[in-house]
Amino acid sequence: MLFASRSFCCLGIRTYQLQTDLLCRSIRLSASATMAFRHKNARRIEGLDSNIWVEFTKVAADSSIVNLGQGLPDISPPSYVKEELAKAAAVDRLNQYTRGFGHPSLVKALSQVYERVCGRKIDPLTDILVTVGAYGSLFSTMQALIEEGDEVIIIEPFYDCYEPMVKMVGAKPVFIPLRYKGNGNSASSADWVLDAAELENKFNSKTKAIIVNTPHNPIGKVFTREELQVIADLCIKHDTLCISDEVYEWMVYKGKKHIKIATMPGMWERTITIGSAGKTYSVTGWKLGWCIGPQNLIKHLQVVHQNTLYTCPTPLQEALAQALWVDYKRMDDPDCYFYSLPRELESKRDRMALLLQEAGLNPIVPDGGYFMIVDVSTLDVDLSGIDEKQPYDYKFVKWMIRSKKLSAIPLSAFCGPETKKQFEKYIRFCFIKKDSTLDAAEAILKNWNKQAA
Amino acid sequence: IRDIFSLTFFPLSLQAKMSRPVQARRLEGTDKNIWVEFVKLAVTYSKVNLGQGFPDFPPPDFLKESLEKALSGGNHMLHQYTRAFGHPPLVKILAQFFGKLLGQDLDPMTNVMVTVGAYQALFCCFQAFVDEGDEVIIIEPFFDCYEPMVKMAGGTPVFVPLRPKPPKGSKLMSSADWQLDPAELASKFSERTKAIVLNSPNNPLGKVFSRGELELIADLCVKHDVLCISDEVYEWLVYDGKEHIRIASLPGMWDRTVMVGSAGKTFSATGWKVGWTVGPNRLLQHIRTVHQNSVYHCATVAQEAVAQGFQREFKLYGKPDSYFVQLPKMLQQKRDRLVQSLDAVGMKPIIPEGTYFLVADISQFKSDVPDVPDSDEPYDSRFAKWMVKNKGLAAIPLSAFYSEAHKNNHDHFIRFCFAKEEATLKAADDILQKWKREKSSP
């Protein structure tokens, strides 16, 4: 490059500009080649780059594999829900921006549904924020209310995003495991409990929040009133926030009741309750969620929202609002989707449990949600061929995908570092699947048993 | 006993609030937002809303049809999660499209990421790269979200103004007449500078940065090893034969630039909230990390429809039927119409080279809205509020697009959005004409 510029020197002053340009460009080119951008990623995301789903959702693309892994329905959403979206998208002004904190008709519908459920007045404009999935509500809550120096209690196993979100705001996750207290026979998610004394020890003056997920992913536990009272008492005693992830609130099976911790005495003022359209209406791809709470907390989440993505998509919000009205009007009717879906899922749950039992396994039958965990170490499969360094359940799932064409999710993905060993025998199956998918799973599991014999 | 205990030792539980300050420090200085106030005013008072930037005409038929097709087709899996970093058909066509524009091969999996609007793309950029103590250069006037986003990431915004050079004679000013002072810009770069935000075409002025101006910025980025966050949401809205130049295509810039784009602006569908980032993997990997820990997935069906929209445009690129040819043509006419209306009544519009905004000088209207000495509120803000309440015409004060310290530097301009139906622009014209008549009659 310098050689070229020197040869132009002789051509006089007119070429000076061209020469300088060439020099500049040569500096730029060599700069880009040799000077690596010295800036790396911001500290807040250090160590947060790996993610179980990036690896395991690739599986979903392979249609030869029976996918009971990632939590997405392959059943159709109800037809009125799909129709409302088509109707909304046909209205011109619904293709443009709506209110940032939530489309007016949607926050109104949400306030009505939840006023009924909670038995208290909920202001649609100040007590509700609509977000991009419940994921967005969790993120907004963390960013708004948690920071460096804070501790956040996370119950294990946990939906995997809680830990990186807590870390991203500079806070410290404090883990406490659910422990199996059953008698070894047919297990239920209700057999997994928190030790009250152990939980009490996790609270201190730095504890900013506890995350409660009920119904629980992955175990399917539906926390009882008594269990929630223990948590509530500690929150009040230590003046702690409660982040209540209730995305599976409607998926509760016979004999169980979903309790909202925010409705317990002393809890409304310190609880953010999170819900999900994706789970409520089997439309995970709509990515709409919401958080409900007292104005003095929600206002900070709204500030985060206005500085992160400002508005959620309009036609989806309008469609969701209309769907909620349909079901709000029939909340006394068993045909309400909030009740018909869990009925449909309960038989799938029972079928899944049976299939796993017939394959010689002992699944934990969930009281809620659409996941089921099972200890697979009893199968004593030879995993020596798989990469040594990964936990048992990761190796098992990879083996199962490869040799059985069936996928699930390893449970150690949902644990903190101390507990991974406890849970690495378990894998998680998702059963919100159409009959043909469960038929295909049945075929694999029946065959499996035969081969093992 | 438990209750007595809580009453005695924790009397604050009687209040309906948590006792300690509850919000995180990162929110400091980010809570004010111009739109909350001005959108409310527009909803309450305006008969003609040229304020917030969105079209009042529909998205093109082919886009609506794409969505309709997606919804009426048998594939109900379009209502479930898609790939988190972008629906495969969409990232594929974006990689193809922008690869062609940049003259290089782009990998859809690593050089493109889909976001919830360009807004979320910007958020991811700041969160991915800005640490406490980092400086980020922002060119004023700026789309208002840049400042709170930098602050929320712990960064320090460093502002550098576009300075108006008055045009010769009585010609109307052009957005091209607002320019950076090269020495001033250079002085803003320090060893703490992490990034510069470039918005071209620029909201609110409508400036389309020239090649020379972009080279000036590029040289400084390379010299100081700084990132460029290039907000190009209005990339198709350029007028008078001007060319939108992508700074990432300049030497030394691809490796340090993240381009941000928007389906909302590209396809006149702001309510769909589909945006994207395009850049080298070594930068996008960190943006992916932020995304997977904040919203993770974007809505599937909108991405499917936008993918089809882009596929159509890829085939029609440069042809007269292309929406990217027709939209700017249509908007240029609307621009000229609004310019005429404003000029006729004594507001002095600055003719924008791009975007669907224009800024007009309202100094001649001081008689209607007198100055208030020692007022905290910038003049243009008071004027805009008065105008919407008394004339029913909504616009946004230019001071909204300046940092707190500089709000009064240019306090006699207001911004109009002209992405409006003919009927809306006619109604605006009627209001302005009536206003002029009222001013000139005794």
Side-chain angles (χ1 to χ4, degrees):
Chain A
M1 285 293 163
L2 282 170
F3 193 74
S5 68
R6 236 182 276 133
S7 68
F8 279 101
C9 238
C10 326
L11 296 173
I13 293 171
R14 245 183 337 120
T15 59
Y16 182 75
Q17 187 54 49
L18 180 60
Q19 180 187 4
T20 330
D21 282 353
L22 277 172
L23 260 172
C24 280
R25 251 158 246 186
S26 72
I27 290 170
R28 267 186 248 143
L29 280 170
S30 56
S32 67
T34 61
M35 183 162 61
F37 184 65
R38 70 187 154 93
H39 303 290
K40 50 190 283 266
N41 52 286
R43 285 185 296 273
R44 69 179 59 82
I45 55 172
E46 194 58 44
L48 303 187
D49 48 322
S50 71
N51 184 287
I52 175 148
W53 306 110
V54 177
E55 181 168 11
F56 284 96
T57 53
K58 277 192 207 140
V59 170
D62 183 346
S63 55
S64 73
I65 296 172
V66 179
N67 186 6
L68 302 188
Q70 190 190 5
L72 86 171
D74 67 2
I75 61 174
S76 174
S79 48
Y80 61 93
V81 170
K82 295 187 284 181
E83 276 152 27
E84 289 300 341
L85 182 54
K87 267 174 25 200
V91 177
D92 286 345
R93 63 175 172 77
L94 292 178
N95 287 289
Q96 307 304 334
Y97 292 131
T98 183
R99 177 176 169 268
F101 304 143
H103 187 53
S105 62
L106 175 57
V107 292
K108 186 88 178 70
L110 286 167
S111 73
Q112 298 280 272
V113 169
Y114 286 103
E115 272 180 6
R116 217 190 111 137
V117 172
C118 298
R120 69 173 296 137
K121 192 99 190 63
I122 295 173
D123 184 316
L125 300 183
T126 62
D127 300 347
I128 301 180
L129 172 66
V130 175
T131 55
V132 175
Y135 218 96
S137 281
L138 287 161
F139 183 73
S140 298
T141 305
M142 303 274 189
Q143 291 282 322
L145 305 175
I146 316 287
E147 59 189 344
E148 193 153 340
D150 289 340
E151 292 183 5
V152 177
I153 298 174
I154 298 176
I155 298 167
E156 297 172 296
F158 54 89
Y159 181 55
D160 71 294
C161 80
Y162 301 160
E163 183 184 1
M165 283 192 184
V166 168
K167 285 179 164 165
M168 196 167 150
V169 293
K172 177 177 170 208
V174 171
F175 301 104
I176 176 168
L178 285 163
R179 296 183 187 282
Y180 178 65
K181 287 275 184 285
N183 58 10
N185 291 339
S186 178
S188 152
S189 60
D191 299 328
W192 291 76
V193 299
L194 289 173
D195 181 298
E198 188 181 10
L199 179 63
E200 168 113 44
N201 276 334
K202 302 290 179 179
F203 279 77
N204 60 49
S205 58
K206 295 208 194 88
T207 310
K208 192 71 179 279
I210 178 169
I211 303 175
V212 176
N213 176 215
T214 181
H216 180 269
N217 173 11
I219 295 181
K221 177 183 178 61
V222 174
F223 283 72
T224 63
R225 186 173 289 280
E226 294 69 34
E227 288 172 315
L228 292 175
Q229 190 64 63
V230 170
I231 296 171
D233 288 348
L234 286 164
C235 286
I236 292 166
K237 177 174 175 185
H238 294 273
D239 196 23
T240 304
L241 282 167
C242 179
I243 302 171
S244 189
D245 176 352
E246 303 184 16
V247 296
Y248 302 105
E249 60 187 307
W250 303 112
M251 287 167 213
V252 176
Y253 304 122
K254 238 179 294 178
K256 299 296 167 186
K257 188 170 190 302
H258 172 66
I259 313 279
K260 288 179 137 3
I261 197 171
T263 59
M264 300 173 76
M267 290 307 287
W268 171 258
E269 55 258 36
R270 60 183 70 255
T271 306
I272 303 284
T273 305
I274 294 172
S276 156
K279 308 295 189 280
T280 297
Y281 282 113
S282 311
V283 286
T284 58
W286 285 29
K287 285 294 295 193
L288 281 178
W290 50 84
C291 36
I292 299 179
Q295 174 175 8
N296 65 292
L297 295 181
I298 294 290
K299 74 180 183 203
H300 301 304
L301 277 67
Q302 289 175 336
V303 169
V304 169
H305 186 79
Q306 92 196 12
N307 291 314
T308 54
L309 50 95
Y310 207 116
T311 47
C312 293
T314 315
L316 291 167
Q317 291 190 72
E318 174 65 24
L320 178 60
Q322 296 306 323
L324 284 168
W325 285 125
V326 168
D327 286 300
Y328 174 70
K329 282 188 234 157
R330 48 182 191 171
M331 273 177 92
D332 285 325
D333 188 330
D335 280 343
C336 175
Y337 192 68
F338 303 161
Y339 318 133
S340 68
L341 178 63
R343 277 200 307 274
E344 184 185 349
L345 286 176
E346 186 158 351
S347 54
K348 292 181 191 289
R349 174 197 73 166
D350 294 343
R351 184 178 177 191
M352 185 86 238
L354 199 61
L355 293 180
L356 291 170
Q357 281 156 1
E358 285 176 352
L361 290 166
N362 203 10
I364 313 289
V365 180
D367 286 330
Y370 49 55
F371 300 110
M372 185 176 291
I373 68 168
V374 63
D375 177 346
V376 289
S377 63
T378 55
L379 291 175
D380 219 3
V381 170
D382 178 12
L383 299 174
S384 50
I386 317 279
D387 176 14
E388 287 281 316
K389 292 182 206 66
Q390 291 202 309
Y392 180 88
D393 50 0
Y394 272 77
K395 292 196 284 194
F396 184 92
V397 169
K398 286 198 173 143
W399 169 85
M400 190 172 72
I401 291 170
R402 209 183 293 173
S403 48
K404 299 294 177 189
K405 298 288 188 190
L406 176 66
S407 79
I409 300 292
L411 215 70
S412 53
F414 300 95
C415 299
E418 316 278 308
T419 335
K420 281 194 201 295
K421 277 276 164 220
Q422 255 177 268
F423 286 101
E424 67 173 334
K425 308 180 299 178
Y426 295 91
I427 64 176
R428 184 195 82 171
F429 286 102
C430 171
F431 55 84
I432 186 166
K433 302 290 175 183
K434 54 187 195 252
D435 288 341
S436 55
T437 308
L438 294 175
D439 291 342
E442 177 167 8
I444 292 170
L445 288 164
K446 281 207 156 96
N447 243 329
W448 193 327
N449 210 15
K450 289 200 183 98
Q451 282 182 350
Chain B
I1 289 176
R2 190 191 70 232
D3 288 339
I4 295 169
F5 183 73
S6 56
L7 278 171
T8 322
F9 290 94
F10 302 100
L12 296 163
S13 65
L14 285 174
Q15 297 172 10
K17 284 187 186 184
M18 283 192 57
S19 63
R20 49 176 141 170
V22 72
Q23 74 274 22
R25 284 182 297 265
R26 72 179 61 80
L27 301 190
E28 241 158 82
T30 68
D31 52 322
K32 288 208 184 3
N33 186 283
I34 180 96
W35 304 106
V36 178
E37 183 174 18
F38 275 88
V39 166
K40 225 190 267 182
L41 283 169
V43 165
T44 315
Y45 296 104
S46 79
K47 300 192 191 69
V48 179
N49 186 1
L50 304 189
Q52 194 187 1
F54 59 85
D56 69 357
F57 49 80
D61 285 338
F62 66 83
L63 193 75
K64 294 204 291 182
E65 275 154 29
S66 296
L67 186 62
E68 238 173 276
K69 218 173 69 177
L71 290 174
S72 62
N75 185 9
H76 62 80
M77 290 310 283
L78 284 176
H79 295 281
Q80 307 307 333
Y81 292 129
T82 182
R83 178 178 168 270
F85 302 131
H87 189 52
L90 179 55
V91 292
K92 282 202 182 92
I93 188 64
L94 286 172
Q96 253 186 305
F97 205 101
F98 287 97
K100 174 181 166 146
L101 292 172
L102 293 168
Q104 60 185 82
D105 275 326
L106 295 182
D107 180 345
M109 301 292 128
T110 58
N111 296 135
V112 181
M113 191 190 84
V114 176
T115 55
V116 180
Y119 215 96
Q120 194 230 335
L122 291 163
F123 177 74
C124 287
C125 288
F126 295 118
Q127 288 285 313
F129 298 110
V130 177
D131 263 322
E132 192 132 351
D134 286 343
E135 290 179 0
V136 177
I137 297 173
I138 298 174
I139 300 167
E140 290 181 306
F142 57 93
F143 179 53
D144 68 296
C145 81
Y146 303 155
E147 184 182 2
M149 284 190 183
V150 168
K151 285 181 166 163
M152 199 171 146
T156 306
V158 170
F159 300 100
V160 61
L162 286 162
R163 293 183 182 283
K165 291 177 173 11
K168 298 204 165 47
S170 62
K171 237 174 29 132
L172 286 174
M173 212 184 240
S174 155
S175 55
D177 297 322
W178 288 62
Q179 295 167 7
L180 290 169
D181 178 309
E184 187 177 19
L185 176 64
S187 75
K188 302 292 179 178
F189 282 76
S190 78
E191 65 210 9
R192 284 175 306 282
T193 309
K194 191 68 172 272
I196 179 169
V197 185
L198 171 69
N199 176 219
S200 180
N202 165 281
N203 172 12
L205 282 176
K207 178 182 178 63
V208 174
F209 284 69
S210 67
R211 183 172 293 277
E213 289 173 314
L214 293 175
E215 282 173 348
L216 176 74
I217 295 169
D219 286 349
L220 286 162
C221 283
V222 173
K223 177 176 175 188
H224 295 274
D225 196 20
V226 159
L227 253 183
C228 179
I229 300 169
S230 185
D231 177 352
E232 304 185 23
V233 297
Y234 300 104
E235 57 191 314
W236 303 110
L237 307 187
V238 285
Y239 311 122
D240 309 316
K242 280 248 150 55
E243 190 198 349
H244 168 65
I245 299 164
R246 294 180 172 79
I247 197 169
S249 65
L250 297 187
M253 290 306 289
W254 166 254
D255 282 323
R256 59 182 67 255
T257 304
V258 180
M259 277 175 20
V260 170
S262 157
K265 307 294 189 283
T266 295
F267 290 111
S268 310
T270 60
W272 287 26
K273 291 292 290 188
V274 174
W276 53 81
T277 51
V278 174
N281 184 48
R282 79 165 176 174
L283 297 181
L284 250 57
Q285 64 181 330
H286 302 307
I287 290 172
R288 288 195 290 271
T289 301
V290 174
H291 182 75
Q292 88 196 16
N293 290 309
S294 56
V295 306
Y296 208 171
H297 297 84
C298 302
T300 313
V301 73
Q303 292 188 66
E304 176 69 27
V306 171
Q308 289 177 30
F310 263 107
Q311 281 153 12
R312 174 199 194 263
E313 287 301 303
F314 189 72
K315 289 197 202 97
L316 291 173
Y317 186 72
K319 303 204 168 77
D321 275 348
S322 156
Y323 190 65
F324 299 168
V325 168
Q326 293 183 336
L327 181 63
K329 213 194 241 167
M330 189 234 300
L331 286 171
Q332 180 167 327
Q333 289 178 337
K334 293 179 187 293
R335 174 196 73 168
D336 295 343
R337 199 195 191 308
L338 183 61
V339 163
Q340 231 179 9
S341 295
L342 294 170
D343 195 25
V345 37
M347 289 192 187
K348 296 216 173 315
I350 298 167
I351 304 183
E353 300 155 274
T355 78
Y356 47 47
F357 299 111
L358 72 77
V359 166
D361 184 334
I362 41 148
S363 317
Q364 306 290 330
F365 280 68
K366 286 248 156 96
S367 55
D368 286 340
V369 185
D371 256 317
V372 170
D374 302 326
S375 168
D376 266 341
E377 196 178 2
Y379 178 80
D380 56 358
S381 180
R382 289 179 41 243
F383 184 94
K385 287 182 186 171
W386 180 92
M387 187 172 77
V388 71
K389 286 180 184 161
N390 293 279
K391 300 297 172 191
L393 178 61
I396 306 294
L398 193 68
S399 57
F401 305 95
Y402 279 87
S403 60
E404 195 60 42
H406 302 155
K407 277 196 193 304
N408 291 309
N409 288 13
H410 297 283
D411 62 356
H412 48 282
F413 292 94
I414 54 177
R415 184 197 82 168
F416 293 94
C417 172
F418 54 84
K420 305 293 174 184
E421 299 268 31
E422 179 54 35
T424 313
L425 295 174
K426 166 119 196 356
D429 188 52
D430 290 342
I431 291 175
L432 291 165
Q433 290 299 322
K434 180 160 178 278
W435 190 353
K436 180 187 181 187
R437 282 194 301 272
E438 284 163 6
K439 279 168 76 67
S440 44
S441 57

